[in-house]
């Protein structure tokens, strides 16, 4: 049994990352997990990661001090949301069964990892060595990279390197559960499948968890079955 706790649905994660994209000034900060950019934060990160923080990079980021910018890197964008980042305030580091791991560590924790980049579900992790993003849908993803210097929506083809994707163990992928319910509806004797599918359009908690079980029983009861 997984030791990871389900924290939010794919839709909730999508809302949170889009909120960051649309409502906050962001920059790429190596080692950053959504901190407000200040001199102290930059100096601390430069001391922690001296090989990345060249004098030019330090100078560029210090130009953002006092302008309400928040700093992320690729893996910390995701981890900070799962740790509880909200409205500019950081969550609890290394909490909610989400370890502080890097991009390569995150893909190794994913479920149903695949190299078929034509079949990616929204809010799956996408990966190439040393970098991760979240698939948004319709050929778009959300990522934070040094070349972007921000949390941005990009085309999946932008990096041209994505080679793996997988489901993060802390996220409930609701579209998968809806499909699972739809698969069982033809076996309900004497039922109107289209009517059942309309009833099935709900947010549930796993491929067949308690919420799914409750919804199926409600449907069967309504049909006198």
């Amino acid at each position: 049994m997984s030791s990871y706790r389900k924290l939010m649905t794919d839709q909730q994660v999508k809302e949170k990352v889009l909120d960051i994209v649309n409502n906050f000034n962001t920059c790429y900060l190596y080692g950053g997990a959504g901190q407000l950019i200040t001199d102290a934060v930059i100096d601390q990160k430069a001391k922690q990661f001296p090989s990345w923080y060249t004098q030019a990079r330090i100078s560029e980021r210090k130009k953002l001090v006092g302008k309400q910018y928040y700093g992320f890197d690729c893996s910390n964008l995701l981890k900070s949301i799962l740790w509880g980042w909200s409205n500019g305030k950081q969550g609890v580091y290394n909490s909610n069964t989400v370890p502080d791991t890097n991009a390569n560590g995150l893909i190794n924790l994913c479920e149903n990892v695949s190299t078929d980049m034509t079949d990616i579900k929204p809010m799956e992790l996408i990966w190439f060595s040393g970098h991760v993003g979240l698939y948004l849908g319709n050929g778009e993803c959300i990522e934070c990279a040094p070349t972007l210097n921000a949390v941005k929506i990009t085309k999946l083809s932008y990096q041209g390197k994505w080679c793996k994707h997988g489901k993060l163990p802390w996220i409930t992928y609701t579209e998968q559960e809806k499909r699972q319910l739809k698969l069982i509806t033809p076996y309900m004797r004497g039922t109107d499948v289209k009517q059942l599918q309309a009833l099935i359009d709900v947010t549930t908690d796993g491929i067949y968890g308690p919420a799914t079980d409750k919804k199926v029983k409600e449907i069967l009861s309504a049909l006198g079955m």
Side-chain angles (χ1 to χ4, degrees):
M1 187 174 180
S2 174
S3 59
Y4 303 115
R5 182 156 57 91
K6 295 295 183 184
L7 301 173
M8 57 189 75
T9 66
D10 45 8
Q11 185 59 39
Q12 289 170 325
V13 175
K14 181 178 179 179
E15 290 171 359
K16 288 179 180 295
V17 291
L18 287 176
D19 179 52
I20 291 173
V21 169
N22 295 324
N23 299 312
F24 292 89
N25 297 318
T26 59
C27 71
Y28 184 87
L29 185 74
Y30 190 79
Q35 293 97 327
L36 180 66
I37 297 296
T38 63
D39 285 323
V41 165
I42 296 168
D43 291 343
Q44 189 269 328
K45 291 301 173 188
K47 184 177 180 180
Q48 188 177 3
F49 305 105
S51 62
W52 194 88
Y53 282 89
T54 62
Q55 200 56 51
R57 285 171 171 164
I58 292 171
S59 297
E60 283 301 309
R61 278 144 189 84
K62 289 207 170 185
K63 292 177 183 177
L64 303 177
V65 172
K67 297 180 180 179
Q68 289 297 114
Y69 271 77
Y70 295 85
F72 297 89
D73 66 21
C74 68
S75 59
N76 278 330
L77 170 62
L78 170 65
K79 290 181 295 183
S80 63
I81 289 171
L82 297 175
W83 287 337
W85 192 95
S86 180
N87 199 32
K89 294 183 179 180
Q90 286 186 277
V92 179
Y93 170 77
N94 208 30
S95 64
N96 293 334
T97 71
V98 182
D100 184 11
T101 187
N102 61 18
N104 295 347
L106 281 173
I107 191 66
N108 289 332
L109 293 175
C110 284
E111 302 163 350
N112 306 119
V113 175
S114 172
T115 57
D116 181 0
M117 302 306 290
T118 66
D119 183 28
I120 316 174
K121 304 303 180 291
M123 292 300 103
E124 282 194 322
L125 189 81
I126 51 176
W127 172 91
F128 63 80
S129 184
H131 186 54
V132 289
L134 286 170
Y135 185 63
L136 186 60
N138 299 316
E140 294 183 326
C141 56
I142 294 177
E143 56 180 317
C144 188
T147 51
L148 298 168
N149 198 24
V151 179
K152 286 188 177 181
I153 297 173
T154 62
K155 294 293 185 183
L156 194 62
S157 57
Y158 168 74
Q159 292 282 6
K161 301 176 184 178
W162 302 115
C163 58
K164 286 184 182 180
H165 65 93
K167 292 179 170 59
L168 289 152
W170 308 280
I171 298 174
T172 297
Y173 290 88
T174 57
E175 289 302 316
Q176 181 176 6
E177 181 158 284
K178 291 175 188 177
R179 287 197 304 276
Q180 186 77 5
L181 278 168
K182 289 178 182 180
L183 285 173
I184 71 172
T185 58
Y187 300 99
M188 296 179 179
R189 185 184 305 169
T191 64
D192 182 328
V193 173
K194 289 185 178 180
Q195 177 189 3
L196 284 172
Q197 288 180 347
L199 290 171
I200 285 164
D201 191 18
V202 293
T203 297
T204 46
D205 61 358
I207 292 178
Y208 200 92
T212 310
D213 186 62
K214 179 181 177 183
K215 179 55 64 175
V216 170
K217 287 176 181 177
E218 287 174 0
I219 293 169
L220 293 175
S221 177
L223 294 167
M225 299 175 67

